Amino acid sequence: MKSKSELRVAIIGGGIGGAATAVALQREGIRADIYEQAPVIKEVGAGVGLRPPTVHFFKNWGIYEEIEKKSSKSDFMQVVACNGDVLVSERWPLLTDNPEGKWARLIHRADLIETFLNQLPSDSIHLSHRLESITDQGDHAEILFENGHSIEADLVIGADGIRSTIRSKLFSDTKPIYSGTHAYRAIVNDKEAFELVLDHTFKVFVDGGIQIYILPLHHRNQVSFDVTLQSKDPSWRPIVEKKDIVKHLKNFDTKIQKIAENVEEYTCRSIYDIDSIERWHSNCVTLLGDAAHAMLHHTGQGIQDAGVLAEALREADSIPEALQTFQARRKPVTDKYQELSRQEPSIESETAFPEKGHFEKA
Ligand SMILES: Cc1cc2nc3c(=O)[nH]c(=O)nc-3n(C[C@H](O)[C@H](O)[C@H](O)COP(=O)(O)OP(=O)(O)OC[C@H]3O[C@@H](n4cnc5c(N)ncnc54)[C@H](O)[C@@H]3O)c2cc1C
């Protein structure tokens, strides 16, 4: 393998997975250039939960203190009936060997990605670069962007999301599968959340096929509000009016209905995932994050991919060996999460964490 300073590494996609990977590689002394199709890197307004296995990598990358300042510690998750009755109340499962690790940190997506990008040299982030074609030459790959720019890289990381061009050109013709649901998301000020969540408990309210996720972001004086509804419209960015969201929530606690009515603007997305694919990598190209294993919402795994890929590159004698190790360590885990993410919380749920039985440490 070339020396770390000589390696040419290109990451396609500047989402959570791509940006985390650039930080992880930088920590290993490897510069990676990010090529992002959008003219700005912007995350939708929504909260995410970070668990101890992810936080473990943040500590290694030297960014934990910054993340800690921008997030809140959450000890519990609840599944709640639409009338407010708590059906399940559970501590976050223990997913690392640290017995203290039964928690998650709740963060706004924009704060998370900003933290990653702040670590990187600005000249390593190339916006308005949409990958058009990729040619795998065995020991390197050639990439052409729509803007006419072309590059060669010893390692290409395809972090280009669920509709990955790299996946379809090199690895699999699998197509995203529509879940039959839309997610309508908004960030609401604490005082407009009617004291529905005063602590840091992540709550999912359920009524038949409807779920409402309320993820507190009290460090910002906000909560993340996410309504998941069934819909026959599979457009990626459906246009849905507020009244057509609110009308489905008549069975819910009146505070929830009020929150939903008061939201000024929802971000609307159809929810898709992919089936597990056989192979993520060649000798010089790998998929990562949603490009490799998109799952239904509220599960990701891209940051842990980033950490494991960086470790594999540190340990291996060659890039092909590192990519084999990466897939071997990650795929059994992400296959299971893909499968479990298809179990939506409901009134019958016996646990808020279907992954507990598979990944919880004794
Ligand atoms: C409603 C909802 C809630 C969620 N909640 C959570 C949660 O709580 N916790 C969690 O872990 N996960 C959650 N997820 C999943 C999480 O959002 C994804 O796993 C994560 O964003 C995937 O990151 P990524 O970098 O792999 O892909 P993406 O975020 O999709 O990023 C891909 C990037 O590649 C760029 N790109 C695409 N094609 C090209 C191209 N040809 N050339 C150049 N650039 C390209 C795109 O513009 C984009 O910036 C949620 C998802 C949804 C929809």
Side-chain angles (χ1 to χ4, degrees), residues 54-70:
T54 307
V55 165
H56 155 83
F57 288 115
F58 293 161
K59 288 185 176 162
N60 289 350
W61 304 343
I63 61 170
Y64 180 60
E65 285 179 3
E66 196 177 335
I67 293 282
E68 207 176 14
K69 282 187 209 137
K70 294 176 177 170

Side-chain angles (χ1 to χ4, degrees), residues 12-19 35-38 41 43 46-49 109 129-132 145 159-165 183 185 202 215 226 269-271 288-291 295-302:
I12 308 302
I16 290 174
Y35 296 89
E36 164 59 44
Q37 65 183 356
I41 294 183
E43 272 292 330
V48 285
R109 296 172 73 102
H129 275 68
R130 180 175 168 74
L131 176 141
E132 184 176 286
F145 296 96
D160 51 346
I162 185 169
R163 288 186 283 177
S164 169
T165 308
R185 295 183 287 182
F202 180 25
L215 184 144
D226 170 337
R269 293 275 189 287
S270 286
I271 304 296
L288 176 146
D290 277 12
M295 354 188 137
L296 291 184
H297 69 336
H298 304 289
T299 31
Q301 296 285 314

